[in-house]
């Protein structure tokens, strides 16, 4: 079995300090979210691969339904969090609105930035239980669209490119906002990294 590190996932450092998003996200909340929760998915996805590696090297059957569900949950959790950290930026460094092509597609689809933010906020607010609000983009129709991801691993339109995500799991906001999801989403708009979302639109792959 090849156990070289490159075959496994790693928890990367955040692109800013743990206290850089204060007062919108506290140092304690961000530290916990990254070090404990995101780390949990890194460990989970690597464990799933180790189990598959072992079964394959010993020629033991895998329960594919269970294996792939576990893999999808943990890999989804790992990837969505990696996107999420890059969707945030310290308030003092951010552009207060999107520009270029991202602004164009938002205006074309939603009519205005305000209307997009209203719909995205409602998308996030109405996530049932644990999940994500997502702005994605269809390369065929060249239209952006909103979606909700339940937990980390369902309701994804294959091959749609994700531009922007908002973590609506309680673990992402509960220390700071308790059950006040609206206040958390309001804070998100103060630290959203429009530039990164625009860059993702310009790139060909995830
Ligand atoms: Mn999370």
């Amino acid at each position: 079995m090849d156990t070289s590190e490159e075959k496994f996932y790693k928890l990367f450092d955040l692109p800013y300090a743990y206290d850089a998003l204060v007062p919108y996200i506290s140092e304690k909340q961000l530290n916990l979210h990254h070090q404990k929760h995101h780390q949990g998915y890194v460990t989970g996805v690597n464990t799933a691969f180790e189990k598959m590696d072992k079964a394959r090297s010993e020629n033991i059957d895998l329960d594919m339904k269970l294996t792939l569900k576990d893999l999808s949950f943990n890999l989804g959790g790992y990837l969505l969090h990696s996107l999420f950290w890059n969707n945030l930026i310290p308030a003092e460094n951010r552009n207060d609105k999107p520009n270029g092509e991202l602004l164009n597609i938002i205006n074309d689809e939603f009519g205005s930035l305000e209307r997009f933010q209203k719909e995205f906020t409602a998308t996030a607010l109405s996530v049932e239980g644990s999940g994500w609000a997502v702005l994605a983009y269809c390369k065929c129709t060249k239209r952006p669209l909103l979606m909700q991801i339940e937990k980390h691993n369902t309701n994804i339109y294959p091959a749609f490119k994700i531009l922007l995500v908002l973590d609506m799991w309680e673990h992402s906001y509960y220390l700071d906002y308790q059950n006040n999801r609206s206040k958390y989403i309001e804070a998100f708009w103060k630290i959203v990294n429009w530039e990164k979302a625009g860059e993702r639109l310009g790139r060909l792959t995830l």
Side-chain angles (χ1 to χ4, degrees), residues 63-183:
D63 178 336
M64 291 317 294
K65 191 174 166 183
L66 206 66
T67 301
L68 296 183
K69 196 170 180 185
D70 180 50
L71 181 66
S72 153
F73 178 79
N74 284 291
L75 185 54
Y78 169 73
L79 290 171
L80 285 163
H81 282 94
S82 303
L83 291 172
F84 183 51
W85 308 132
N86 281 301
N87 277 167
L88 304 178
I89 187 169
E92 62 272 24
N93 299 339
R94 82 182 192 124
N95 294 333
D96 61 0
K97 63 187 193 88
N99 54 29
E101 192 52 20
L102 180 62
L103 185 61
N104 291 341
I105 62 163
I106 286 175
N107 280 333
D108 286 350
E109 184 68 24
F110 299 95
S112 67
L113 178 63
E114 292 68 31
R115 172 78 196 190
F116 159 67
Q117 286 185 284
K118 197 176 156 196
E119 286 193 25
F120 188 95
T121 296
T123 300
L125 263 180
S126 60
V127 166
E128 280 182 335
S130 300
W132 297 75
V134 178
L135 174 67
Y137 180 72
C138 175
K139 286 178 268 185
C140 296
T141 59
K142 303 195 170 26
R143 293 178 70 161
L145 74 169
L146 293 167
M147 63 181 180
Q148 294 177 329
I149 293 176
E150 289 179 14
K151 291 185 276 191
H152 300 310
N153 54 359
T154 55
N155 298 349
I156 294 176
Y157 308 121
F160 276 40
K161 192 164 162 179
I162 295 178
L163 304 178
L164 187 70
V165 295
L166 174 57
D167 192 341
M168 293 307 298
W169 283 58
E170 281 188 353
H171 71 221
S172 68
Y173 61 84
Y174 214 82
L175 277 184
D176 290 342
Y177 297 102
Q178 288 78 51
N179 61 342
N180 196 339
R181 281 184 157 195
S182 299
K183 225 174 150 207

Side-chain angles (χ1 to χ4, degrees), residues 4-77:
S4 62
E5 272 198 12
E6 294 73 29
K7 292 188 77 175
F8 291 92
Y9 294 93
K10 284 187 207 80
L11 183 70
F12 290 103
D13 291 341
L14 294 183
Y16 33 75
Y18 285 119
D19 62 359
L21 304 180
V22 173
Y24 304 106
I25 298 178
S26 69
E27 181 175 2
K28 193 174 174 191
Q29 175 74 77
L30 189 58
N31 190 299
L32 196 72
H33 196 177
H34 182 245
Q35 295 270 352
K36 301 293 178 201
H37 294 280
H38 194 180
Q39 178 63 55
Y41 301 117
V42 176
T43 306
V45 70
N46 288 335
T47 303
F49 272 103
E50 279 165 2
K51 280 184 194 161
M52 288 189 288
D53 289 346
K54 186 169 186 291
R56 285 163 186 169
S57 70
E58 294 172 9
N59 202 20
I60 296 166
D61 286 345
L62 284 163
D63 178 336
M64 291 317 294
K65 191 174 166 183
L66 206 66
T67 301
L68 296 183
K69 196 170 180 185
D70 180 50
L71 181 66
S72 153
F73 178 79
N74 284 291
L75 185 54

